[in-house]
Structure formats: C-alpha cells, structure tokens
Amino acid sequence: VHLTGGVSALAGTVVLGPRKGRFENPEEFEAHNLPLVVLGTFCLWFGWYGFNPGSTLGMSSGSTGAMAAQVAMNTTISAATGGLFVFLFRAFITGKYDVGGLCNGILAGLVSITAGCGSMECGSACFTGFMGALVYQGASMLLVKLQIDDPVDASPVHGFCGIWGVIAASLFDWGAGMNHYHGWSGFDCMTDANGCRQNIGGTGVAANLVMILMVIVWAGSFSGLAFLILAKTGFLRIDEDTESIGLDVKHHSPPKAYQMASSAGGVAATEHSPPKAYGAPTPAGAV
C-alpha cells in the first residue's frame, strides 16, 4: 500500500518539477506551522492502530486478541524508534532540534512496520523502525541532492520505507530461522500435508522482492503516464504568475490565512529547525 503511493508520489514530483526557487532559496520553503504538523502526525499515528491491529479482522477469541495486541506493540515500538532516531541524528549533524524530522521519522517507523507487524517479535520491530529511520533520512537527502522537490517527503517515507518494510517482513518473520515461515498465518506456521512447511524462508524473501519490483513497475509507469498527460494538457501545474504570488493571494479572500510577526533571533532561531514554530504563509508558490 505505502510502496504504491510512494512510487506514485515520486513519479508526480519528477514530472511536475521543483517549485520556483525551491533549491535557490530553501529557507523560504520550511514548514510554516509546526503545531499543525505535529497534530497531523499524531492523528496519523492514532489512525494506524485501526489500520494495523484492525487487520486482524476481529478480536472474538483469545488468539486474535493476542495478535492485535502484538501488532499494536510492534507498531508503537517501530514508530517511536524511527522518530527518536531521526530527531537525534539531525540534532547531531545540525546542532538543532528538528521537530519536522521527528514527525517524519515517526511516519517512517510506522510505514516500515506495517507489512510485518503481525509476523515479527518486538525486538525485530525496534530494529525495523531504526532501519526505517536510516532509509528515510538517506532517501530524503538523496532527493535534495538530485534536486527532486518532494514537499512533504512523501516518497522517502512511503516509497523507500515501504520497500524496506516489505523486505523486513520477510527477513524478520518469526518462524524458526529460515525453516518455518508464518506470513499471514499469525502465530502459526504455514503448513502443508506434512505439517509446518520446511525451508521456505528464502522463498518468502524472494517473493517479496519480486513483489517490490512489480509494484514499482506498475505504479510508477501508470502514475507517470497519468501525470505526464496532465502536464502536457496544462492541468498539472499552476501558471507562473500564480506560482510567483502564491495561491492564497490569487484565489482566496483574505489573501493570507494569518500573519504573525516574529523576531529574527531568540532560542528558537538558534536551536530549532525550522527557526519558527509558525509564521507567515510559505511564499513563492510553495502552497
């Protein structure tokens, strides 16, 4: 699910191209309302408990209830690990506390654990979240290096972490080593006429790798084609004048949602990234 959306997002950003001034004046494109960013992140995190534990499709028995509890625990551990690692890593390399990075790290952990949340132990879930944070951070930096403008890091979070999550689900499946494989069977191994199927862990990894490639080809090609048609017909991007003055000014009354003055200095400016929790709307078409 996440891989499909992430690949589609990447196709869209490549076809659309960067926003005007995005890489010439990057400081003008920082998030302008961190409280809403944090609120949105926790809304998503809360919703994930419906998405992941809810995938047990019921809690009418002790086994399904225990599975839902295991899934909820794995989801929490991976999300918390991902968020904390990105936050601490960015504080280490920049010397500033990046709340936006914390939020995307949480989402990276959530995406990474989704595929394997019902088939791995809590320790593996922690490692999955940790690696998901690394994957997200690396992918985010790579897109900036390539000057691919993904405004909310959708493809690093959902696409790249989606790939890692599918791989992690097969690598850390809690079957006995590579002998047994549980997959969708929950606490039980996959069986055949002779009981637990033997030596199919490698098959599970291979199947997931093939699935990743197929999703990338399918979602990337069809999404890229759809975005390309929209671009060629003029329906994908706003005109240059609107991008210069901003959609708020062009289409809304009043032209600004809010305008709040803030000083250039202070603790926030020296120790936090971005330096303001909230402020004027993002300029130059960065809506």
Side-chain angles (χ1 to χ4, degrees), residues 136-183:
Y136 158 69
Q137 182 64 38
S140 179
M141 295 170 69
L142 176 64
L143 292 192
V144 173
K145 184 73 173 178
L146 297 175
Q147 294 199 349
I148 297 175
D149 182 17
D150 189 335
V152 294
D153 270 350
S155 49
V157 169
H158 296 279
F160 288 86
C161 289
I163 292 174
W164 161 242
V166 174
I167 295 173
S170 56
L171 287 178
F172 303 133
D173 185 278
W174 53 19
M178 298 297 284
N179 293 328
H180 298 166
Y181 198 74
H182 287 217

Side-chain angles (χ1 to χ4, degrees), residues 206-227:
N208 282 19
L209 291 175
V210 171
M211 182 179 69
I212 290 170
L213 293 176
M214 291 300 100
V215 170
I216 291 174
V217 171
W218 177 76
S221 58
F222 280 100
S223 296
L225 178 62
F227 284 120

Side-chain angles (χ1 to χ4, degrees), residues 77-83 85-86 105 108-113 120 123-139 156-157 160-165 167-168 171-172:
I77 291 174
S78 182
T81 302
F85 178 79
V86 173
L110 289 168
V111 170
S112 299
I113 196 60
M120 66 173 68
S124 298
C126 182
F127 185 74
T128 297
F130 169 74
M131 288 300 299
L134 281 178
V135 170
Y136 158 69
Q137 182 64 38
V157 169
F160 288 86
C161 289
I163 292 174
W164 161 242
I167 295 173
L171 287 178
F172 303 133

Side-chain angles (χ1 to χ4, degrees), residues 7 16 46 89 98 115 169 171 188 193 211 217 220 258:
V7 170
L16 179 63
F46 180 76
F89 180 78
D98 190 341
L171 287 178
D188 303 316
M211 182 179 69
V217 171
Y258 43 77

